[in-house]
Structures are given as structure tokens and as C-alpha cells.
Amino acid sequence: MCSYNKGRGHIDMIYADNAATTKMSKTAIDTMVALMNEEWGNPSSLYSRGQKAKEALETARETVAGLIGAQPNEILFTSGGSEADNQVIRSAAELGKKKGKMHIISTAFEHHAVLHTLAKLEKEGFDVTLLDVHEDGLVVPSEVEDAIRDDTCLVTIMFANNEIGTIQPIREIGAICREKGVLFHTDAVQAIGHVPVNVVDDNIDFLSASAHKFHGPKGVGFLYAKKGIRLTNLIEGGAQERGKRAGTENVPGIVAAAAAMKEACESMDEHAKHLVAARDKIIAGLEEIPHSALNGDPIRRLPSNVNFCFEGIEGESLLLLLDQKGIQASSGSACTSGSLDPSHVLLAIGRIHDVAHGSLRLSIGEDITDAEVDEIIEAVKDVVAYLRGFSPIWRDLMAGKKEFIL
Ligand SMILES: *Cc1c(COP(=O)(O)O)cnc(C)c1O
């Protein structure tokens, strides 16, 4: 039953892995190509070709800043979300260290760009508190408040989780940090272009973003650092980006990123309405599968995100069979590292190993059709039933030798 191939080519697969990366929009591609053809000068050059590129770069900075309520001089372009996370956390740590404040608060379900940076800082003598995330995938602001100490230099909590899509109470957490005089960073890579983000209203001191998560190019991102906060360089060299990030700027990529972000922000409401309807229909459809559960809060989640655990199956097999049926999705387990460890995010919300292994993340795109929604539901139902048919764990569960958890 699952061996049939729909005969879809690579092109007309249903792409449901937009949290991993998105297709560049036509506007972004056209912008990038135009810049590569015309404004290919070095923005540091003083002659007109360089100055044209510089103008394009600074216009992009104004666009990006305006879309999140920041000032242009508070935006620094980077090679992506990972670099922005690294630089922000390093900067806050260095500022903290100078004042003898070496405690950082974060959560157990952050992106590895944050978690691995924090692990390194721990080796350098910092004390890191990783807050629990609750079963609904949400951080509780009062628990952030309780964790803040006199020596806390940074709170870093993601805006929206990349696996389960839950949207955190960022404004409340930001307000607490402001009141306590602690710097607050949010990894907003999954949020920018998808849900409203405003650094002033949301009390944000530092933010990271990445263009390839909102239909811009890969290898381009930015950080926001509130005026007056001193950044630490990760890359030394020339005086680009106010001396805080050396290296000739990727002008075509940056300008395309700004164009993609503008487009995403302008169509956000319309897209969200369509996505939420499609998302909720998929969730309702998959909830009909016995011994399954949605991961993360059903409402406070990204419009594009569906994440389920199915008992008795392996996420990897599920993905491979869905791929054969023309659907490209992701599983929390074994995703990037090739290891068999289940997702740290699913473990953080309290899923046990066996259950966390059988996970599926669908991150749908704005252009999804009703027919594709139905196709996804049918395909997942088919594949889960098929895999359970020869799963030893499922056999034990059915025989009562093991207890169902979901
Ligand atoms: C994708 C992602 C990143 C990394 O961004 P890159 O541009 O790929 O380096 C960081 N944080 C989150 C939440 C992400 O989803």
C-alpha cells in the first residue's frame, strides 16, 4: 500500500517543511538577480558603483528596521540566524562578565545555535539555568521572574519554537526583564514574517532573524541590538557593519532579504488566515488516528505548524514513506545530526523517548490548497496504519505487554 509512488516529480511534491527552509519568493529572486547584474560594487568603495551598492544596503537596513519597529542603526546583517544568536549571546555574556554577572537564563527547547553557545559559555565559567517548558510548549513568565538573580546578565527565550511552533509570551517576559534590568534576547527566526513582532512593544533588547525562513535567500540574516548595547565581534577585519561584523556585505542577498521580509509582513494577515484554517483541518484529521497526540498548544502556535506524535512507529520511516507519496515533511528525531536521539524539544515538553521517536512535523506553506490538505491527512493516516502493521512495539502495545501512553 505504501510502496506506490504517486509519480509526482520533485517539482510538484507537497512541500511541508517550511520551518527547515522556504522557497525564495519571485520578488526576492528578481531583486537578487537585478542587484547581481547591476549593483555589484563593494559598498565600501568611494566611487559611484560602490556608493550605489551602499545606498541599496542602507535602504534594506531601513526596510528591515521599520518592519520590526527598530531604528536602522540597531540592525546588523549577518550570515543567518545561527550567527546572530551566537553574536548576541556572546555580547551579553561579555557585558555581564565585566560587571561580575555570569548567570544566563534560557529554556530547554531553544535552537542549538543558542543551546550550544550556552554550553560553551558554561565551560568558560558562566552559570546557565535552562527553564522547564511545560507540556503545552509554553514558558511561564513568572518562572522567568523567579529565576532572575542579582548576577543574571541575560535572558534568552525563542519567540516561536521551530519544532512545535508554540509562540511564547515574549512581551510579558520582556517586561519582566526590563523591570529587573536584565538584557532580553529572543531568537525570532521562526516568527519574523509569520507573526507580528515589534521590538518596542515586545520589550526586546536583542533579536535574531534569518531570511531563508521567510522566502528570502539562505546565508543572510540580521540581529537587532537596542541602541546603546555594545556588541562583541565574532569576525574581526574591516569596518563593515559599524565595525561589529567584518567582511564585505552580501548586498544582493541582504536587499533580497529585505524585499522578502516586506512582502511576508505585508501579506501576513491574509496568509495567516488561510494557514490557520488549513493547519486546524490537518490537526483535526490527524487527531482521528488512534494513540496520537498533537505536540504543543493548539492555539498559541505558528499558523503553519502541525506536530504530532504517533505511538508505535519511527518518525524516520514515516518521513520516507510520506516522501514516496509526494509529501516532504520532517521529524523531530534524528533530523540533522544523523543520531538516533529523539528531539530535545519533545523531551523538554515531557514526551518519553519511545513516543518522541514517532513524531512528525508538517510546516505548511501559504500556497497550500484544500486538495493538498486532504491529501496530507489521507497519506499520514495510511502510512501510520501501514507502519504499525509491522511494528514490534505496536504489537506489544496491542497485546497488552506494554502500556499505551497516548
Ligand atoms: C533556522 C533557525 C535558526 C538558524 O538559522 P540559520 O539562518 O539557518 O543559521 C535559528 N533559530 C531557529 C529557531 C531556527 O528555526
Side-chain angles (χ1 to χ4, degrees), residues 19 79-83 85 111 113 158 160 162 187 189-190 210 212-213:
S79 68
S82 300
E83 186 186 332
D85 282 339
H111 190 272
M158 68 201 318
N162 47 304
D187 173 337
V189 172
Q190 292 288 335
S210 175
H212 77 100
K213 305 289 174 75

Side-chain angles (χ1 to χ4, degrees), residues 18-21 78-86 109-114 158-163 187-191 208-213 217-222 361:
N18 287 278
T21 197
T78 67
S79 68
S82 300
E83 186 186 332
D85 282 339
N86 274 259
F109 79 161
E110 297 297 309
H111 190 272
H112 284 131
V114 169
M158 68 201 318
F159 208 110
N161 185 270
N162 47 304
E163 288 188 32
D187 173 337
V189 172
Q190 292 288 335
S208 330
S210 175
H212 77 100
K213 305 289 174 75
K218 293 171 204 14
V220 184
F222 66 88
R361 177 187 72 187

Side-chain angles (χ1 to χ4, degrees), residues 21-25 28 211-218 256-257 260-261:
T21 197
T22 57
K23 181 181 194 282
M24 277 180 75
S25 71
H212 77 100
K213 305 289 174 75
F214 53 73
H215 303 286
K218 293 171 204 14
M261 185 166 157

Side-chain angles (χ1 to χ4, degrees), residues 14 274 278 282 365-376:
I14 298 175
H274 174 61
I282 297 173
E366 299 83 3
D367 55 355
I368 193 165
T369 64
D370 289 347
E372 287 173 337
V373 165
D374 294 336
E375 209 176 304
I376 288 173

Side-chain angles (χ1 to χ4, degrees), residues 122-139:
E122 256 182 332
K123 289 206 179 107
E124 294 168 23
F126 282 82
D127 189 11
V128 176
T129 301
L130 293 184
L131 295 172
D132 277 341
V133 185
H134 294 264
E135 213 184 306
D136 55 8
L138 296 169
V139 177

Side-chain angles (χ1 to χ4, degrees), residues 326-340:
I327 296 163
Q328 293 168 330
S330 160
S331 171
S333 53
C335 61
T336 44
S337 56
S339 78
L340 282 171

Side-chain angles (χ1 to χ4, degrees), residues 182-198:
V182 177
L183 291 175
F184 176 49
H185 167 240
T186 186
D187 173 337
V189 172
Q190 292 288 335
I192 296 284
H194 302 280
V195 293
V197 177
N198 183 295

